[in-house]
Amino acid sequence: MDRQMINSVINRAASKNYAEKIIKEKRPDISRISPSFLDNVNKQTKLLIENLILEFKKNQKTIR
């Protein structure tokens, strides 16, 4: 299995499908999505999750 897939927190197929939908609506001049774009989405998602956890109030036990 690819090392990148092991560390992935996103559903790459769903992310690509969603990106294709947005591209059709907002940027029809774009014709392809590279794997590095999905790598970047995965990286940004990991950072978002980490930041949300770090910003969470310490006196609560459930993340909402």
Side-chain angles (χ1 to χ4, degrees):
M1 181 178 271
D2 186 320
R3 182 179 182 93
Q4 188 66 22
M5 293 300 290
I6 294 170
N7 294 323
S8 186
V9 295
I10 63 167
N11 180 323
R12 293 176 75 87
S15 297
K16 184 176 180 183
N17 289 339
Y18 184 71
E20 288 171 342
K21 177 185 170 203
I22 299 302
I23 286 169
K24 285 180 186 175
E25 293 174 7
K26 301 187 185 254
R27 293 289 307 271
D29 54 309
I30 297 173
S31 60
R32 292 177 291 206
I33 298 171
S34 75
S36 64
F37 173 81
L38 296 173
D39 293 343
N40 189 29
V41 170
N42 188 60
K43 180 179 176 184
Q44 294 298 321
T45 302
K46 284 180 172 182
L47 291 172
L48 174 64
I49 291 169
E50 183 176 344
N51 287 335
L52 289 171
I53 289 170
L54 291 174
E55 292 172 1
F56 193 72
K57 296 175 184 157
K58 293 184 182 207
N59 61 348
Q60 294 179 327
K61 298 198 183 244
T62 303
I63 293 179
R64 296 182 181 151

